[in-house]
Amino acid sequence: CLDKTGTLTEGKMQVEKADLFPGTDAEKFHEWMGNFLTHTQDNNATFQAMHAYFKGMDTLSVTDQIPFSSDRKWSAMTFVGAGTFVIGAPEKLCPDQMPPEISAYQKEGKRVLLAGITQQPVQKGQPLPEVQLLAVIVLTDPLRANAAKTIANFQKEGVSVKLISGDNPVTASAVAQKAGILHGDRWVDMRTVEESEIDAAAQRYTVFGRVTPQQKKQLIQAFHRQKHTVAMTGDGVNDLLALKEADCSVVMAEGSDAAKNIANVVLMDSNFAAMPEIVNQGRRVVNNIRTAASMFLIKTIFSVLLCLITIFWGDSYPFEPIQMSLISACAVGIPIFLLAQETLQQD
């Protein structure tokens, strides 16, 4: 199971452009955006990309702000005399009729945010009121260079690859298809899936979009119920529940400290392409343990047979205790060492 941002992609968000809707005052929009970025408490990769693209300003007074969360999918800030400026997922700001250009961007695998303003009060636990749309902010996050090759290696080994993301499912599906994930066009919006339907969705779909942290955990549990051994890769706080639930959790070094603390494996160079080598190293260790166990078994069998022969037909055991270390070295130590080196050359 793969997270998209920072795992399958490089996690280096860049704002490609900001398209203003007809009737939007460009000067006011940039003033609101600049003040929003100056005063916001959010500092994830998306907001860092917007900081690099838009010019910060401090010309408006802020009375209230609501930080971004993976559950809400939006962030808001109230300015004195202007209203509440909102940035978030398109389906949150425009739930009824989506502008056609947004779907086009999402099919290209780009991340899309909408910016708008409202004069009505905005509350954390309530749906957004009607928002006047101001602009479409288009962000890109390049696919990791060796991601397609890495996924192809896993799929060649018979491993099923699933993409679980909090992003829009159309965007996630486009990225999955670029990465060569088998059946990457089979996607589902997890907001439409009831808890009782998660098992069926886990079996039917490959790409899961708009997934909440709790749903990520439930998907891992569903895979377990289907008798799968599950590895989960991620980097954010929203992946914690799924990482703890998985049989093997893999986290990028650039990820959050909380994720790294619970991970079984931390990729210090944040390079997803190292995963096949990690699997090979694991197989090498298992093979060497198996080889060592077989050599000890052979030695033990011969020792038992020699003891029985000595008991029934001999007078004394033919070896002195001081000779046993040399026998162990020749019968077990040296062969195991040579076999381990041979395995290394074959891999």
Side-chain angles (χ1 to χ4, degrees), residues 79-342:
F79 300 121
V80 174
T84 301
F85 187 77
V86 185
I87 293 180
E91 57 268 24
K92 295 294 183 179
L93 274 71
C94 185
D96 298 328
Q97 186 175 1
M98 198 76 67
E101 58 267 28
I102 292 179
S103 299
Y105 290 135
Q106 290 172 341
K107 289 178 181 178
E108 294 175 6
K110 297 177 181 178
R111 191 171 192 176
V112 180
L113 296 176
L114 284 181
I117 195 161
T118 179
Q119 303 302 321
Q120 301 180 41
V122 177
Q123 298 179 1
K124 280 186 179 180
Q126 300 296 326
L128 284 172
E130 186 176 352
V131 176
Q132 178 189 346
L133 299 180
L134 300 174
V136 179
I137 302 172
V138 183
L139 300 99
T140 58
D141 189 4
L143 195 68
R144 289 189 183 274
N146 295 321
K149 181 179 178 182
T150 303
I151 288 172
N153 287 337
F154 278 117
Q155 293 180 157
K156 184 179 179 182
E157 294 286 339
V159 177
S160 297
V161 180
K162 306 283 187 176
L163 184 60
I164 304 175
S165 176
D167 284 351
N168 182 278
V170 178
T171 300
S173 177
V175 173
Q177 292 178 68
K178 287 181 182 178
I181 295 178
L182 193 63
H183 305 308
D185 57 338
R186 297 180 183 175
W187 58 265
V188 62
D189 189 332
M190 288 300 290
R191 294 173 303 167
T192 65
V193 178
E194 299 293 335
E195 187 171 344
S196 60
E197 301 171 337
I198 287 182
D199 281 30
Q203 191 167 14
R204 180 177 180 183
Y205 298 104
T206 300
V207 178
F208 305 86
R210 293 299 183 216
V211 187
T212 65
Q214 183 64 29
Q215 285 178 324
K216 288 188 178 185
K217 175 183 176 181
Q218 291 170 342
L219 282 169
I220 302 299
Q221 292 172 334
F223 294 136
H224 279 153
R225 286 192 291 270
Q226 295 165 12
K227 308 302 181 183
H228 292 296
T229 301
V230 185
M232 173 74 190
T233 64
D235 63 346
V237 176
N238 60 329
D239 299 319
L240 287 179
L241 295 176
L243 290 169
K244 290 181 68 176
E245 191 68 29
D247 298 292
C248 178
S249 54
V250 183
V251 173
M252 307 295 157
E254 297 173 352
S256 67
D257 292 336
K260 288 186 286 188
N261 285 336
I262 69 166
N264 300 120
V265 178
V266 178
L267 301 180
M268 297 308 296
D269 58 355
S270 297
N271 185 8
F272 178 64
M275 286 300 300
E277 181 60 26
I278 291 174
V279 173
N280 287 337
Q281 289 287 354
R283 289 176 175 173
R284 186 175 303 155
V285 170
V286 171
N287 289 338
N288 288 344
I289 291 174
R290 187 177 296 147
T291 302
S294 65
M295 298 302 296
F296 274 106
L297 180 62
I298 291 171
K299 177 198 167 191
T300 302
I301 290 173
F302 276 105
S303 298
V304 170
L305 291 175
L306 189 57
C307 287
L308 293 174
I309 292 172
T310 303
I311 290 171
F312 291 105
W313 291 284
D315 295 329
S316 62
Y317 196 71
F319 298 110
E320 298 291 333
I322 197 171
Q323 298 172 325
M324 297 308 296
S325 296
L326 182 60
I327 293 173
S328 295
C330 294
V332 179
I334 295 174
I336 288 175
F337 175 78
L338 294 175
L339 288 171
Q341 298 306 309
E342 182 182 14

